[in-house]
Structure formats: C-alpha cells, structure tokens
C-alpha cells in the first residue's frame, strides 16, 4: 500500500496508502478503493454522498466510525454500510498498527437481483495445470 498516494481536492497534501481501482480495472458500475490510515489519525473531514452508498470492510487495525450521531467500534472483520445521506468519518484509535480497509461505492437503489441468479453456468471443463510451489 505504501507505493500508492492520492491527492484529494479538499486536502492540502497527498494521502499515502490509498488507491482507487475504478480506472485500474476498468470498472463500470462501482468504485472500490484500498486504504491505509496511520495509527492515531483520523479522516480530516466528515462527508456524505449525493447518490452513492458505501460499504467499508475493515481488514486490520482498531478504530471508530461515526455515522450521524452514533459511533461504531471497528476492527478486523467489521463491515459497515452507509446510506448516501449518512454523515461519516473514521479514525485509527489505538496502538502502532495501521488501519487497513476497503471501500466499495455504488449507486444507491440500483441493485436489481441476487448475484447467484445472475450467474450463468458455462459448459466447459475446469482444467488446472499442476505447478510446483514457489
């Protein structure tokens, strides 16, 4: 994550450890970012969205996640969904570990069906080539 930086228009300097995957992967229906927040730091602003809901998947670290007037504790394995109008922020509260998380952003109210129902089986035999472990 350290090789990635992002310059948010509302912040005076670049943020280390953030990459948006939309352009990297050519995504057309959502945005995903992979993020790192250093120990004892916070997002410097609260925000909402006009159209998109967000899902936060916390992979490592400990922190807090205020949504409107409620503060949720977050740690490895925590998943949080925030509606577009929800005022959100988060912080890495303890220790010396970075807070690692993934954010999935998609247009609210556009989901039309379960992904299992959307899947279509393909008449193709699965073949794996045996490889020696590295």
């Amino acid at each position: 994550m350290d090789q990635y930086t992002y310059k948010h228009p509302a912040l005076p300097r670049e943020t280390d450890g953030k990459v948006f995957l939309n352009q990297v992967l050519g995504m057309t229906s959502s945005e995903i970012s992979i993020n790192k927040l250093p120990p004892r730091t916070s997002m410097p602003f609260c925000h909402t969205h006009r159209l998109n809901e967000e899902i936060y998947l916390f992979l490592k670290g400990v922190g807090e996640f205020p949504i409107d007037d409620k503060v949720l504790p977050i740690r490895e394995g925590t998943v949080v969904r925030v509606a577009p109008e929800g005022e959100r922020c988060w912080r890495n509260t303890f220790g010396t570990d970075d807070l690692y998380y993934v954010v999935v952003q998609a247009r609210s109210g556009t989901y039309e069906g379960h992904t299992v129902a959307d899947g279509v089986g393909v008449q193709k035999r699965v073949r794996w080539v045996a490889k020696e472990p590295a």
Side-chain angles (χ1 to χ4, degrees), residues 58-125:
F58 293 93
L59 307 175
K60 183 179 178 185
V62 178
E64 294 179 328
F65 196 102
I67 303 173
D68 298 325
D69 295 325
K70 184 176 182 180
V71 178
L72 304 173
I74 54 174
R75 62 180 176 82
E76 180 179 325
T78 301
V79 177
V80 178
R81 183 251 179 202
V82 186
E85 64 277 4
E87 292 181 6
R88 70 208 76 172
C89 191
W90 53 97
R91 69 179 181 156
N92 183 343
T93 52
F94 301 110
T96 58
D97 291 333
D98 292 322
L99 181 64
Y100 289 92
Y101 57 100
V102 175
V103 182
V104 179
Q105 189 178 132
R107 181 74 51 98
S108 182
T110 62
Y111 186 64
E112 294 184 4
H114 195 275
T115 56
V116 172
D118 186 58
V120 177
V122 177
Q123 295 297 317
K124 181 178 178 181
R125 184 173 177 213

Side-chain angles (χ1 to χ4, degrees), residues 9 19 22 26 41-42 53 56 80 99 114 119 125:
V19 61
N22 182 286
T41 60
S42 169
E53 65 185 1
Y56 293 80
V80 178
L99 181 64
H114 195 275
R125 184 173 177 213

Side-chain angles (χ1 to χ4, degrees), residues 126-134:
V126 177
R127 296 177 191 245
W128 297 102
V129 177
K131 294 185 179 180
E132 293 291 322

